C-alpha cells in the first residue's frame, strides 16, 4: 500500500494496478496535473484503503490477482458509503462483451489499453466536472437506462456526449449547433447499440440452443442402446439407484428382472448377425409395448434385457410380470423369410430381500437367470443363496471342460436300441459322459448347455465323432458284428460348412462303411432353416449315412415337412412315452406319428422306455424300436462286445 499524496485542489485519485510499472506511470501523470494519488496492487488491497479513506475517483485495471476490477466495481457499488464514487476501468480486453460486463458491474467509464495520456486526462476532467454539476443539479453520474427489458449503465460513448452537453450548457448558448450535433450523434449511437445488442442477443440464443441440442444428443447416446434405443446399463443403474432411494422412503419393494434369450447364439450363427439384430429390436418393441409405462425396459448388451419394477408391495407381483413376459414371447417372430419361435429365461432379484444396491441386484438377477436356464429355459426363477454356489460350479465346469477336451476325462457309453419284434440289438446311441476330477461323473445335462454357450460345442462334437468311429473300428477288429451307431450333433456343428468333409474324413481314417454311422439331429435344429437343412442332409445321405430326428414332437415343425426330409428314423421323445399309461393324448400322438412315419417308409423308435406296460403299448402300436432302462442302462465299450455277439 502506498502513502496518499495530498492535492492542493482537494481531488484524490486511487489507482488500482497490479503492474508496478503501469502504476508508477499513472501516478507520475496524475501528480504532474495536480491530483493526489494512492496506489493499490489489487481489488482486495483497494477495499482495505477505501475502508480508511474515501477518494474522489477510482481508476482500476481489470485483470488482477486475488480480486479483479469487475469484483472491485461490484463491491464499491454495493457499499452505501462508497457507491457514488466514480470508477474508470482500464483493460487490454477488446471483446465487446467485456465492455458490457464492466458497465453492468457499475463502471462509469471503460478505457482500453494502450491509451493516450490526453484521453485519460480528458475523461478524468469530464468526470470531475460532472461531480460538480451533480452537486448543484442532482444529476447522478452512472445513471441507469431501461433498454429492451434489461438495465445498462451509460456507456463511455454516451458519457462523452453527456459531458459535452453539460459543458456546452455551462459555457455559452452560441454552441447550440454543437449541442444539436451531439444529440444527433447520441441518437445514432443509441440506434447502433440497439441493433448490435439485438444481433448479439440472437446469436447468443442460437448458440445456446445449438449447444443444448448437442449436449442432449450426446447425453442420449451415452445413456441409450444404439440398436434398440432402450436405456443402457449406465442409465439403468442411475434409474435403479433412484428407485431404491424412493423405495427406502416408502418402504416398498423393487424388483429387477434379468432376461436372456434362449439359444440366441444359434440364431446368430445360423441366420447371421443382421437377422439377430432385427430380432433384438423386435423383442425390445414387444417388451416396451406390453409393460407398464412406469416399468423401465433396458438392454444391457447382446441378448440381455432387464425390466425394473418399482413400488411393489409383494414379491409375487414380480412373478406375475415374469409370467406376462413369457407370454409375450409365445407368438413367433417373422424375419428374413423365417418363422422363429423364441423363448427367454428370466432371473428376479428383490430389494431389500436380496440386495440394497443396484450392482448387487444386477448380479443376483443374473445368477437367478442362469438358474432358470438350468431348469430347462423358458421359465423364471427368483434369486436364492444356493444360486451363488451353482454359479461358481458353472465357471468351474466350463474351465475344466476346456482341459478335458485337451487332455482327457471324457468317456463314451452306448445305449442299445432294441427291435421290438425280435428283441435284438439293432443299433447303439453314443452318449458322452465326463469324469470330473472334483464333481464326479457328470451326465450331458450338466455340461452340454455350457459347451453350447461357450463355443466349446464344436470341439466336443468332433471329439465324440472321432471317438465313436475309432471305437467302431476297434470292435470290428475284435470280430464284433457291426451295428449302426447314432451320434448326436449340435445345431452349430450341423450348420458348419465343413461338416460333410469332417464326417467323410472320419469314416475314411477308421475304414468304416457309411452305413455304420447314424447322425441324430433335433427337430428344432432342422426347422431353423429348413431349405438349408434339407440340402445338408442330402449331402450326408449321398455318402450313405443315416439320419434320425431326435426328440420328435417337442419342436414346432409341421408333419408335412417329414416328406421333404431325407431321414430314415423318427425318435419319439420320452416325454410322450412317460405317461402312456395315464394320458390318452400321449397315446394318440404316438399312434399318429407311428402311422404317418410308416406311410412315409420311415422307422420309429421310442426313447425312455422303463416299464413293461410302455413296451407292450409301443409294440402293439407298431413302433419299430425302443431304448431305455427296461432293456439296459448305457454300457461301457468293454461291456458291449458280449451284448452284440449274442
Amino acid at each position: 500500500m502506498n502513502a496518499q499524496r495530498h492535492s492542493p485542489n482537494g481531488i484524490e485519485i486511487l489507482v488500482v494496478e497490479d503492474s508496478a510499472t503501469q502504476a508508477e506511470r499513472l501516478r507520475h501523470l496524475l501528480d504532474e496535473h495536480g491530483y493526489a494519488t494512492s496506489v493499490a496492487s489489487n481489488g482486495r488491497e483497494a477495499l482495505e484503503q477505501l475502508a480508511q479513506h474515501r477518494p474522489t475517483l477510482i481508476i482500476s485495471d481489470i485483470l488482477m490477482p486475488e480480486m479483479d476490477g469487475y469484483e472491485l466495481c461490484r463491491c464499491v457499488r454495493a457499499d452505501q458509503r462508497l457507491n457514488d464514487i466514480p470508477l474508470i476501468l482500464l483493460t487490454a480486453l477488446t471483446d465487446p462483451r467485456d465492455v458490457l460486463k464492466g458497465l453492468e458491474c457499475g463502471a462509469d467509464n471503460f478505457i482500453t489499453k494502450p491509451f493516450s495520456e490526453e484521453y485519460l486526462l480528458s475523461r478524468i476532467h469530464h468526470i470531475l466536472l460532472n461531480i460538480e454539476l451533480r452537486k448543484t443539479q442532482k444529476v447522478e453520474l452512472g445513471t441507469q437506462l431501461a433498454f429492451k427489458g434489461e438495465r445498462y449503465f451509460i456507456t463511455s460513448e454516451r458519457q462523452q456526449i453527456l459531458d459535452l452537453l453539460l459543458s456546452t450548457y455551462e459555457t455559452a448558448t452560441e454552441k447550440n449547433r454543437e449541442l444539436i450535433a451531439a444529440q444527433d450523434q447520441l441518437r445514432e449511437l443509441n440506434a447502433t447499440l440497439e441493433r448490435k445488442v439485438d444481433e448479439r442477443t440472437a446469436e447468443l440464443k442460437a448458440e445456446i440452443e445449438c449447444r443444448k441440442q448437442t449436449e442432449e444428443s450426446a447425453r442420449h447416446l451415452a445413456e441409450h442402446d444404439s440398436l434398440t434405443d432402450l436405456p443402457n446399463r449406465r442409465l439403468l443403474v442411475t434409474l435403479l439407484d433412484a428407485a431404491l432411494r424412493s423405495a427406502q422412503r416408502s418402504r416398498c419393494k423393487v424388483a429387477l428382472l434379468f432376461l436372456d434369450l434362449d439359444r440366441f447364439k444359434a440364431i446368430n450363427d445360423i441366420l447371421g448377425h443382421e437377422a439377430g439384430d432385427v430380432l433384438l429390436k423386435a423383442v425390445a418393441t414387444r417388451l416396451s409395448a406390453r409393460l407398464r409405462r412406469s416399468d423401465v425396459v433396458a438392454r444391457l448388451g447382446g441378448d440381455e434385457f432387464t425390466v425394473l419394477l418399482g413400488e411393489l408391495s409383494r414379491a409375487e407381483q414380480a412373478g406375475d410380470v415374469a409370467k406376462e413376459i413369457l407370454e409375450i414371447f409365445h407368438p413367433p417372430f417373422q424375419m428374413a423369410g423365417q418363422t422363429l419361435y423364441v423363448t427367454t429365461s428370466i432371473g428376479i432379484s428383490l430389494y431389500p430381500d436380496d440386495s440394497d444396491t443396484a450392482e448387487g441386484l444386477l448380479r443376483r438377477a443374473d445368477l437367478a437367470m442362469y438358474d432358470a436356464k438350468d431348469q430347462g429355459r423358458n421359465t423364471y426363477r427368483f434369486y436364492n443363496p444356493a444360486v451363488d454356489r451353482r454359479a461358481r460350479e458353472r465357471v468351474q465346469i466350463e474351465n475344466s471342460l476346456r482341459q478335458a477336451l485337451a487332455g482327457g476325462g471324457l468317456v463314451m457309453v452306448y445305449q442299445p436300441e432294441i427291435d421290438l419284434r425280435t428283441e435284438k440289438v439293432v443299433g447303439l446311441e453314443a452318449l458322452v459322459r465326463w469324469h470330473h476330477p472334483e464333481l464326479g461323473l457328470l451326465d450331458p445335462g450338466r455340461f452340454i448347455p455350457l459347451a453350447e454357450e461357450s463355443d466349446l460345442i464344436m470341439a466336443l462334437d468332433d471329439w465324440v465323432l472321432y471317438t465313436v468311429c475309432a471305437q467302431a473300428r476297434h470292435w470290428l477288429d475284435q470280430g464284433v458284428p457291426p451295428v449302426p451307431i447314432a451320434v448326436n450333433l449340435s445345431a452349430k456343428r450341423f450348420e458348419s460348412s465343413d461338416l460333410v468333409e469332417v464326417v467323410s474324413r472320419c469314416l475314411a481314417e477308421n475304414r468304416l462303411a457309411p452305413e455304420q454311422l447314424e447322425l441324430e439331429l433335433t427337430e428344432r435344429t432342422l426347422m431353423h432353416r429348413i431349405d438349408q437343412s434339407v440340402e445338408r442332409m442330402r449331402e450326408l445321405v449321398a455318402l450313405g449315412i443315416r439320419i434320425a430326428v431326435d426328440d420328435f414332437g417337442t419342436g414346432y415343425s409341421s408333419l408335412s415337412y417329414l416328406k421333404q426330409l431325407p431321414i430314415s428314423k423318427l425318435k419319439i421323445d420320452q416325454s410322450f412315452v412317460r405317461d402312456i399309461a395315464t394320458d390318452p393324448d400321449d397315446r394318440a400322438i404316438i399312434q399318429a406319428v407311428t402311422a404317418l412315419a410308416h406311410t412315409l417308409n420311415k422307422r420309429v423308435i421310442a426313447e425312455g422306455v422303463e416299464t413293461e406296460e410302455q413296451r407292450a403299448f409301443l409294440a402293439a402300436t407298431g413302433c419299430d424300436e425302443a431304448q431305455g432302462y427296461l432293456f439296459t442302462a448305457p454300457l461301457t465299450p468293454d461291456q458291449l462286445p458280449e451284448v452284440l455277439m449274442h
Side-chain angles (χ1 to χ4, degrees), residues 282-321:
V283 168
T285 300
R286 284 195 187 181
L287 291 172
S288 301
R290 290 282 298 274
L291 297 177
R292 302 175 304 176
R293 289 187 178 182
S294 58
D295 301 334
V296 177
V297 181
R299 181 186 176 221
L300 301 188
D303 61 327
E304 296 177 340
F305 295 83
T306 59
V307 177
L308 169 59
L309 308 176
E311 302 295 325
L312 301 181
S313 58
R314 298 176 295 105
E316 291 77 12
Q317 291 174 281
D320 293 339
V321 175

Short mmCIF file of all heavy atoms in Angstrom, two decimals, residues 282-321:
data_model
loop_
_atom_site.label_atom_id
_atom_site.label_comp_id
_atom_site.label_asym_id
_atom_site.label_seq_id
_atom_site.Cartn_x
_atom_site.Cartn_y
_atom_site.Cartn_z
N ALA A 282 -37.06 -56.35 -32.40
CA ALA A 282 -38.45 -56.81 -32.29
C ALA A 282 -38.78 -57.18 -30.84
O ALA A 282 -39.87 -56.88 -30.34
CB ALA A 282 -38.67 -58.01 -33.20
N VAL A 283 -37.82 -57.79 -30.15
CA VAL A 283 -38.03 -58.12 -28.73
C VAL A 283 -38.20 -56.84 -27.91
O VAL A 283 -39.09 -56.74 -27.06
CB VAL A 283 -36.85 -58.95 -28.20
CG1 VAL A 283 -36.90 -59.05 -26.67
CG2 VAL A 283 -36.85 -60.34 -28.82
N ALA A 284 -37.34 -55.84 -28.18
CA ALA A 284 -37.44 -54.57 -27.45
C ALA A 284 -38.80 -53.92 -27.67
O ALA A 284 -39.40 -53.37 -26.73
CB ALA A 284 -36.32 -53.63 -27.91
N THR A 285 -39.31 -54.00 -28.89
CA THR A 285 -40.61 -53.40 -29.19
C THR A 285 -41.73 -54.11 -28.44
O THR A 285 -42.62 -53.46 -27.86
CB THR A 285 -40.88 -53.47 -30.71
OG1 THR A 285 -39.86 -52.73 -31.40
CG2 THR A 285 -42.24 -52.88 -31.05
N ARG A 286 -41.69 -55.42 -28.41
CA ARG A 286 -42.74 -56.17 -27.70
C ARG A 286 -42.72 -55.86 -26.20
O ARG A 286 -43.76 -55.65 -25.59
CB ARG A 286 -42.55 -57.67 -27.91
CG ARG A 286 -42.99 -58.17 -29.27
CD ARG A 286 -43.12 -59.67 -29.27
NE ARG A 286 -43.37 -60.18 -30.61
CZ ARG A 286 -43.55 -61.47 -30.91
NH1 ARG A 286 -43.50 -62.37 -29.92
NH2 ARG A 286 -43.77 -61.87 -32.14
N LEU A 287 -41.53 -55.86 -25.62
CA LEU A 287 -41.44 -55.60 -24.19
C LEU A 287 -41.95 -54.20 -23.85
O LEU A 287 -42.71 -54.01 -22.89
CB LEU A 287 -40.00 -55.76 -23.72
CG LEU A 287 -39.44 -57.19 -23.72
CD1 LEU A 287 -37.95 -57.17 -23.40
CD2 LEU A 287 -40.17 -58.06 -22.70
N SER A 288 -41.53 -53.22 -24.62
CA SER A 288 -41.92 -51.84 -24.33
C SER A 288 -43.41 -51.61 -24.52
O SER A 288 -44.02 -50.81 -23.81
CB SER A 288 -41.12 -50.88 -25.24
OG SER A 288 -39.73 -51.02 -25.04
N ALA A 289 -43.99 -52.32 -25.48
CA ALA A 289 -45.41 -52.11 -25.78
C ALA A 289 -46.33 -52.75 -24.75
O ALA A 289 -47.42 -52.25 -24.49
CB ALA A 289 -45.73 -52.66 -27.18
N ARG A 290 -45.90 -53.84 -24.14
CA ARG A 290 -46.80 -54.60 -23.28
C ARG A 290 -46.69 -54.27 -21.80
O ARG A 290 -47.61 -54.51 -21.03
CB ARG A 290 -46.54 -56.10 -23.47
CG ARG A 290 -46.99 -56.64 -24.81
CD ARG A 290 -48.49 -56.85 -24.88
NE ARG A 290 -48.92 -57.84 -23.91
CZ ARG A 290 -48.93 -59.15 -24.12
NH1 ARG A 290 -48.52 -59.61 -25.29
NH2 ARG A 290 -49.35 -59.97 -23.18
N LEU A 291 -45.55 -53.72 -21.37
CA LEU A 291 -45.37 -53.45 -19.94
C LEU A 291 -45.90 -52.07 -19.58
O LEU A 291 -46.19 -51.24 -20.44
CB LEU A 291 -43.89 -53.58 -19.58
CG LEU A 291 -43.29 -54.98 -19.77
CD1 LEU A 291 -41.81 -54.97 -19.47
CD2 LEU A 291 -44.01 -56.00 -18.91
N ARG A 292 -45.98 -51.80 -18.26
CA ARG A 292 -46.49 -50.51 -17.79
C ARG A 292 -45.51 -49.40 -18.15
O ARG A 292 -44.32 -49.62 -18.30
CB ARG A 292 -46.67 -50.54 -16.29
CG ARG A 292 -47.60 -51.60 -15.76
CD ARG A 292 -47.59 -51.58 -14.24
NE ARG A 292 -46.25 -51.74 -13.71
CZ ARG A 292 -45.94 -51.69 -12.42
NH1 ARG A 292 -46.89 -51.47 -11.53
NH2 ARG A 292 -44.70 -51.84 -12.01
N ARG A 293 -46.04 -48.17 -18.27
CA ARG A 293 -45.17 -47.04 -18.55
C ARG A 293 -44.17 -46.79 -17.44
O ARG A 293 -43.07 -46.29 -17.67
CB ARG A 293 -46.01 -45.77 -18.77
CG ARG A 293 -46.79 -45.77 -20.07
CD ARG A 293 -47.46 -44.42 -20.30
NE ARG A 293 -48.17 -44.39 -21.57
CZ ARG A 293 -48.81 -43.32 -22.02
NH1 ARG A 293 -48.83 -42.20 -21.29
NH2 ARG A 293 -49.43 -43.36 -23.18
N SER A 294 -44.54 -47.14 -16.22
CA SER A 294 -43.65 -46.93 -15.09
C SER A 294 -42.53 -47.96 -15.04
O SER A 294 -41.54 -47.78 -14.32
CB SER A 294 -44.44 -46.98 -13.78
OG SER A 294 -45.11 -48.23 -13.65
N ASP A 295 -42.68 -49.07 -15.77
CA ASP A 295 -41.63 -50.09 -15.80
C ASP A 295 -40.52 -49.64 -16.76
O ASP A 295 -40.80 -49.09 -17.83
CB ASP A 295 -42.19 -51.43 -16.27
CG ASP A 295 -43.31 -51.92 -15.37
OD1 ASP A 295 -43.31 -51.54 -14.19
OD2 ASP A 295 -44.16 -52.69 -15.84
N VAL A 296 -39.28 -49.89 -16.39
CA VAL A 296 -38.14 -49.49 -17.21
C VAL A 296 -37.58 -50.73 -17.91
O VAL A 296 -37.11 -51.67 -17.26
CB VAL A 296 -37.03 -48.85 -16.35
CG1 VAL A 296 -35.82 -48.50 -17.22
CG2 VAL A 296 -37.56 -47.60 -15.66
N VAL A 297 -37.64 -50.73 -19.23
CA VAL A 297 -37.06 -51.81 -20.04
C VAL A 297 -35.70 -51.32 -20.54
O VAL A 297 -35.60 -50.25 -21.14
CB VAL A 297 -37.96 -52.18 -21.22
CG1 VAL A 297 -37.34 -53.32 -22.02
CG2 VAL A 297 -39.35 -52.56 -20.74
N ALA A 298 -34.65 -52.09 -20.30
CA ALA A 298 -33.30 -51.70 -20.71
C ALA A 298 -32.63 -52.87 -21.41
O ALA A 298 -33.00 -54.04 -21.22
CB ALA A 298 -32.48 -51.26 -19.50
N ARG A 299 -31.63 -52.54 -22.23
CA ARG A 299 -30.81 -53.58 -22.87
C ARG A 299 -29.38 -53.42 -22.38
O ARG A 299 -28.79 -52.36 -22.52
CB ARG A 299 -30.85 -53.47 -24.39
CG ARG A 299 -30.01 -54.57 -25.07
CD ARG A 299 -29.92 -54.40 -26.56
NE ARG A 299 -29.05 -55.40 -27.16
CZ ARG A 299 -28.18 -55.16 -28.14
NH1 ARG A 299 -28.08 -53.93 -28.64
NH2 ARG A 299 -27.43 -56.12 -28.62
N LEU A 300 -28.85 -54.50 -21.80
CA LEU A 300 -27.50 -54.44 -21.26
C LEU A 300 -26.45 -54.75 -22.31
O LEU A 300 -25.27 -54.43 -22.14
CB LEU A 300 -27.36 -55.42 -20.10
CG LEU A 300 -28.31 -55.21 -18.92
CD1 LEU A 300 -27.93 -56.13 -17.78
CD2 LEU A 300 -28.29 -53.76 -18.46
N GLY A 301 -26.85 -55.36 -23.41
CA GLY A 301 -25.91 -55.77 -24.44
C GLY A 301 -26.21 -57.20 -24.87
O GLY A 301 -26.82 -57.98 -24.13
N GLY A 302 -25.76 -57.57 -26.09
CA GLY A 302 -26.03 -58.91 -26.57
C GLY A 302 -27.53 -59.18 -26.58
O GLY A 302 -28.32 -58.37 -27.05
N ASP A 303 -27.92 -60.33 -26.02
CA ASP A 303 -29.34 -60.67 -25.96
C ASP A 303 -29.87 -60.54 -24.54
O ASP A 303 -30.84 -61.20 -24.16
CB ASP A 303 -29.57 -62.09 -26.48
CG ASP A 303 -28.82 -63.13 -25.65
OD1 ASP A 303 -27.73 -62.82 -25.15
OD2 ASP A 303 -29.33 -64.27 -25.51
N GLU A 304 -29.24 -59.66 -23.74
CA GLU A 304 -29.63 -59.47 -22.35
C GLU A 304 -30.46 -58.20 -22.18
O GLU A 304 -30.04 -57.11 -22.57
CB GLU A 304 -28.39 -59.40 -21.46
CG GLU A 304 -27.58 -60.69 -21.43
CD GLU A 304 -26.33 -60.57 -20.59
OE1 GLU A 304 -25.89 -59.42 -20.34
OE2 GLU A 304 -25.77 -61.62 -20.20
N PHE A 305 -31.64 -58.37 -21.59
CA PHE A 305 -32.54 -57.25 -21.30
C PHE A 305 -32.85 -57.26 -19.80
O PHE A 305 -32.72 -58.30 -19.13
CB PHE A 305 -33.84 -57.38 -22.08
CG PHE A 305 -33.69 -57.26 -23.57
CD1 PHE A 305 -33.32 -58.36 -24.33
CD2 PHE A 305 -33.92 -56.06 -24.22
CE1 PHE A 305 -33.17 -58.26 -25.71
CE2 PHE A 305 -33.79 -55.95 -25.60
CZ PHE A 305 -33.41 -57.05 -26.34
N THR A 306 -33.26 -56.12 -19.30
CA THR A 306 -33.73 -56.05 -17.91
C THR A 306 -35.03 -55.28 -17.86
O THR A 306 -35.31 -54.43 -18.72
CB THR A 306 -32.70 -55.34 -16.99
OG1 THR A 306 -32.47 -54.02 -17.47
CG2 THR A 306 -31.41 -56.11 -16.91
N VAL A 307 -35.83 -55.57 -16.83
CA VAL A 307 -37.06 -54.83 -16.57
C VAL A 307 -37.03 -54.41 -15.10
O VAL A 307 -36.89 -55.26 -14.21
CB VAL A 307 -38.31 -55.67 -16.86
CG1 VAL A 307 -39.57 -54.88 -16.51
CG2 VAL A 307 -38.34 -56.10 -18.33
N LEU A 308 -37.13 -53.11 -14.85
CA LEU A 308 -37.12 -52.56 -13.50
C LEU A 308 -38.55 -52.29 -13.06
O LEU A 308 -39.28 -51.55 -13.72
CB LEU A 308 -36.29 -51.28 -13.47
CG LEU A 308 -36.37 -50.41 -12.20
CD1 LEU A 308 -35.92 -51.21 -10.99
CD2 LEU A 308 -35.53 -49.16 -12.37
N LEU A 309 -38.94 -52.89 -11.95
CA LEU A 309 -40.28 -52.72 -11.40
C LEU A 309 -40.17 -52.03 -10.05
O LEU A 309 -39.53 -52.55 -9.14
CB LEU A 309 -40.98 -54.07 -11.22
CG LEU A 309 -41.02 -55.01 -12.44
CD1 LEU A 309 -41.66 -56.33 -12.05
CD2 LEU A 309 -41.79 -54.37 -13.58
N GLY A 310 -40.77 -50.87 -9.92
CA GLY A 310 -40.71 -50.13 -8.67
C GLY A 310 -42.04 -50.12 -7.93
O GLY A 310 -43.08 -50.49 -8.48
N GLU A 311 -41.98 -49.70 -6.66
CA GLU A 311 -43.18 -49.52 -5.85
C GLU A 311 -44.02 -50.79 -5.77
O GLU A 311 -45.24 -50.78 -5.98
CB GLU A 311 -44.02 -48.36 -6.39
CG GLU A 311 -43.30 -47.02 -6.44
CD GLU A 311 -42.92 -46.50 -5.06
OE1 GLU A 311 -43.69 -46.73 -4.12
OE2 GLU A 311 -41.85 -45.89 -4.94
N LEU A 312 -43.39 -51.94 -5.46
CA LEU A 312 -44.12 -53.19 -5.30
C LEU A 312 -44.42 -53.43 -3.83
O LEU A 312 -43.60 -53.12 -2.95
CB LEU A 312 -43.30 -54.37 -5.85
CG LEU A 312 -42.89 -54.31 -7.33
CD1 LEU A 312 -42.11 -55.55 -7.69
CD2 LEU A 312 -44.10 -54.16 -8.23
N SER A 313 -45.56 -54.01 -3.56
CA SER A 313 -45.91 -54.34 -2.18
C SER A 313 -45.61 -55.79 -1.85
O SER A 313 -45.40 -56.15 -0.69
CB SER A 313 -47.39 -54.04 -1.93
OG SER A 313 -48.21 -54.79 -2.83
N ARG A 314 -45.60 -56.66 -2.90
CA ARG A 314 -45.37 -58.09 -2.69
C ARG A 314 -44.41 -58.62 -3.74
O ARG A 314 -44.41 -58.18 -4.89
CB ARG A 314 -46.69 -58.87 -2.78
CG ARG A 314 -47.74 -58.50 -1.74
CD ARG A 314 -49.04 -59.26 -1.98
NE ARG A 314 -49.67 -58.89 -3.26
CZ ARG A 314 -49.67 -59.64 -4.34
NH1 ARG A 314 -49.07 -60.83 -4.33
NH2 ARG A 314 -50.27 -59.23 -5.44
N ALA A 315 -43.60 -59.60 -3.34
CA ALA A 315 -42.66 -60.22 -4.28
C ALA A 315 -43.41 -60.93 -5.40
O ALA A 315 -42.92 -61.02 -6.54
CB ALA A 315 -41.74 -61.19 -3.55
N GLU A 316 -44.61 -61.45 -5.10
CA GLU A 316 -45.38 -62.19 -6.10
C GLU A 316 -45.72 -61.34 -7.31
O GLU A 316 -45.92 -61.88 -8.41
CB GLU A 316 -46.67 -62.74 -5.47
CG GLU A 316 -46.46 -63.84 -4.45
CD GLU A 316 -45.98 -63.32 -3.11
OE1 GLU A 316 -46.03 -62.08 -2.92
OE2 GLU A 316 -45.56 -64.12 -2.27
N GLN A 317 -45.77 -60.01 -7.14
CA GLN A 317 -46.07 -59.14 -8.28
C GLN A 317 -44.98 -59.25 -9.35
O GLN A 317 -45.27 -59.18 -10.54
CB GLN A 317 -46.20 -57.69 -7.80
CG GLN A 317 -47.43 -57.44 -6.94
CD GLN A 317 -47.44 -56.04 -6.36
OE1 GLN A 317 -46.77 -55.77 -5.37
NE2 GLN A 317 -48.19 -55.16 -6.98
N ALA A 318 -43.74 -59.42 -8.92
CA ALA A 318 -42.65 -59.58 -9.88
C ALA A 318 -42.81 -60.89 -10.64
O ALA A 318 -42.55 -60.96 -11.86
CB ALA A 318 -41.30 -59.55 -9.17
N GLY A 319 -43.26 -61.94 -9.95
CA GLY A 319 -43.52 -63.21 -10.63
C GLY A 319 -44.63 -63.10 -11.65
O GLY A 319 -44.57 -63.69 -12.73
N ASP A 320 -45.66 -62.30 -11.35
CA ASP A 320 -46.76 -62.10 -12.30
C ASP A 320 -46.26 -61.42 -13.58
O ASP A 320 -46.66 -61.79 -14.69
CB ASP A 320 -47.86 -61.25 -11.66
CG ASP A 320 -48.55 -61.97 -10.51
OD1 ASP A 320 -48.47 -63.21 -10.46
OD2 ASP A 320 -49.14 -61.28 -9.66
N VAL A 321 -45.37 -60.42 -13.40
CA VAL A 321 -44.82 -59.74 -14.58
C VAL A 321 -43.95 -60.70 -15.38
O VAL A 321 -43.98 -60.69 -16.62
CB VAL A 321 -44.01 -58.50 -14.16
CG1 VAL A 321 -43.33 -57.87 -15.37
CG2 VAL A 321 -44.92 -57.48 -13.47
#
